[in-house]
Amino acid sequence: MRSGLIRALRHSAGSTPMRQAIGLVAVVAVVNLVTLGLAYLSLRSAIETGMRANLSQHMAGFQVAASPSALEILVMAEANAADPAQRVFAYIAPDGRVTGNAKAVLTGGGVQIRRMPEGRPLGEHGYFPLIERMAGGILILAESRTPIHELGRTFLALLALSLAPTVLISLGAGAIIATRARRRVDLIEATLGKLSEGALDARIPVEPGRRDDLARIGAQVNRMAAAQEAATEALRQVSADIAHDLKTPLQRMAVLLHDLRDRLPEESAEAALADRAIAEADGAVGIFHGLLQIAQIEGGGARANFTTVDLARVASEMAELYAPTAEEEGRKLTLHLPDGPATISGNKGLIGQALANLIENALRHTPPGTDIGIAVRRTADSVALEVADRGPGIPESERQNVLRRLYRLEQSRTTPGNGLGLALVAATAGLHGAQLDLKDNAPGLRVTLSFPADTAAATRA
């Protein structure tokens, strides 16, 4: 139980509810300390006043002695009847002789009380003295400070028995409250994180019956997410509809252009113009096809086709497919694979196409004679698919922009492409819950897709 409490305190130490609980406990502790301290000082003062009054009363009883010898007799009578551990009677005669149940030595700051040779033991906690000159000598009466010491011990025990349980119980209650609040805050943070990553269907679980501030914040976040999802879905549907509606006419136009081209004489100006028109039409068809494919991926329907995919095998197949093209263009594909399979849960076709897009980008933007590396790395909880080249790379300020649809860098506008390759890679990463990183390869670009490992498949293997 104690270890669980300690873990809860450590986990929730930085949370606002825990800080408030600790602050409240600190206030309660200070109030208890001040209250007990004032009570202790008041009782101690009362005890000292009683001691002083008692000693003054005893001192008045010795006023009847007119001579040192008479006073010595009275002192010895009281001393013999008293326990020096509780009360001390001592008379220092004019000649320096000490009579009583303890020795008394005057100092500049008061008096020192010492045990008589072969006398009874003195008190362990000191004495509260009263000193008066009497019959030519000095009479010293002292009460043991044991009651004051016992009062201090009683208050310390009271402090331990009252304050410590209060602090522990309050901290325990604060830890429980803070842990519950932290769990709900973690859910809100996790949902906001998913929303920021593009998972617009993420929602904060609704707890029936709760009407506090966190419940209201959760409901507001859910309403905002629902509105954003609806707006995004509407925009996506409009884009898909436009792309779908225009794709068919463009395909028909391309067919007609091909037919026209076949009827034109070779090497004529009209044939060259028709070839240019066919190329533009094919490019437009490719753009609309890419937009439709991205919209379908983002719609999430491809999740129904998820199976166990071995990324090492996909990388090997793609490297084998593109190796001849790379050799023809003076480049070399290098492949680094782990020992054994590197399985994930996903759509093999989409992953293969994403890898193909990355390889084609590398072939398109790297100079001849450079290597293009394809690697698969496996860890306990993830599998990384990586493509690295030695091209011009992408400036850090542009790495998020190139993931947008139809966005192209200025230096890439003269090369083939439609600006959808990395957008499709990003959509595929989002569908699979993978992390997409674009980093400097010094020189060049290193693109890494980190997929959650298929632990169930690994266990079966």
Side-chain angles (χ1 to χ4, degrees), residues 120 124 136 194 209 217 234 240 244 289 301 331 336 341 365 386 407 426:
R120 286 181 288 179
E124 298 178 357
K194 292 178 181 178
I217 291 173
H244 182 272
H289 179 74
R331 298 173 182 83
H336 300 279
H365 297 293
E386 184 178 276
Y407 186 89

Side-chain angles (χ1 to χ4, degrees), residues 58-119:
H58 278 83
M59 189 70 75
F62 291 103
Q63 298 290 342
V64 297
S67 64
S69 58
L71 188 54
E72 287 178 345
I73 293 172
L74 291 174
V75 169
M76 282 304 300
E78 292 285 351
N80 289 333
D83 182 0
Q86 301 296 328
R87 185 176 293 125
V88 167
F89 295 88
Y91 175 63
I92 303 175
D95 58 2
R97 186 174 66 256
V98 178
T99 303
N101 56 0
K103 292 185 67 175
V105 179
L106 296 176
T107 63
V111 62
Q112 288 185 358
I113 298 176
R114 301 173 183 172
R115 182 178 179 180
M116 282 286 194
E118 300 180 359

Side-chain angles (χ1 to χ4, degrees), residues 326 328-332 362-371 390:
E328 289 176 3
E329 298 179 0
R331 298 173 182 83
K332 180 182 178 182
L363 290 172
R364 189 178 299 123
H365 297 293
T366 55
T370 57
D371 291 348
R390 294 294 181 181

